[in-house]
Amino acid sequence: MDALPPGIDLSQVPLAANPNGDPPNFVNPPSLISTVQAVGITLGLISLVLVILRLTVYHRTKRGVGFDDVFVVMAFLLAAGYTGISCSLKDVTRHAWDTPISFLDVAYLKKLFVTSLFYGPMLFFAKASILLLYYRAFRPIKWLRISIYVILFILFCSYIVTVL
């Protein structure tokens, strides 16, 4: 990586070069924040309805709450938190060539760090809930039970790294 000359104003240097060769637009760059927010909120509401329907059906059939249900709720809560934080990162939704290097301050990096704390566990709980549903449905089959244990262990090990 090339070093920047001393004394350069980092608010005038883009994070990346524009592939078209155009100069950076730091004043009013195009942004996808409205799209990120619309998709996040819409899918969050759909997910909320589906989680409530799932829990309502299981409650009415007196099946009881299992680990798969708890994991679905955990995945939803983590996804809601992740979506909320992502929707607050409005300056991230513009092109790198329209973002100055000075943008990478401590507050931004803290928010980015928090999103990484949500991301791994969110994916783990979502995938683990599906595996636990299989476990509940196909408990008598020994090879499937063992496979589910192994896959859960692999998922846990791979996603715990994102938190650590």
Side-chain angles (χ1 to χ4, degrees), residues 49-163:
V49 169
L50 292 175
V51 168
I52 290 172
L53 283 174
R54 174 185 173 140
L55 296 176
T56 303
V57 167
Y58 288 156
H59 176 71
R60 287 191 181 172
T61 59
K62 309 233 184 301
R63 183 192 70 117
V65 175
F67 279 117
D68 54 331
D69 302 322
V70 173
F71 276 42
V72 163
V73 171
M74 286 298 300
F76 173 75
L77 292 175
L78 288 167
Y82 180 81
T83 301
I85 295 169
S86 297
C87 288
S88 73
L89 295 172
K90 62 181 169 104
D91 292 333
V92 176
T93 58
R94 54 187 186 184
H95 297 294
W97 53 84
D98 289 336
T99 305
I101 291 178
S102 63
F103 177 72
L104 299 176
D105 62 351
V106 175
Y108 167 75
L109 294 175
K110 283 182 182 178
K111 283 184 180 181
L112 208 57
F113 175 71
V114 171
T115 59
S116 70
L117 291 179
F118 277 77
Y119 190 71
M122 173 185 68
L123 292 178
F124 169 74
F125 281 112
K127 293 175 182 182
S129 68
I130 296 168
L131 290 171
L132 291 172
L133 180 66
Y134 287 160
Y135 180 82
R136 185 187 287 206
F138 303 110
R139 187 173 302 171
I141 303 173
K142 185 176 180 177
W143 69 267
L144 186 59
R145 234 181 337 179
I146 293 170
S147 299
I148 288 172
Y149 290 142
V150 169
I151 295 171
L152 277 172
F153 178 75
I154 292 170
L155 282 175
F156 179 78
C157 290
S158 63
Y159 286 120
I160 194 69
V161 171
T162 65
V163 175

Side-chain angles (χ1 to χ4, degrees), residues 8-15 23-24 26-27 97 99-103:
I8 192 163
D9 184 12
L10 296 181
S11 64
Q12 299 301 316
V13 179
L15 287 173
F26 295 142
V27 178
W97 53 84
T99 305
I101 291 178
S102 63
F103 177 72

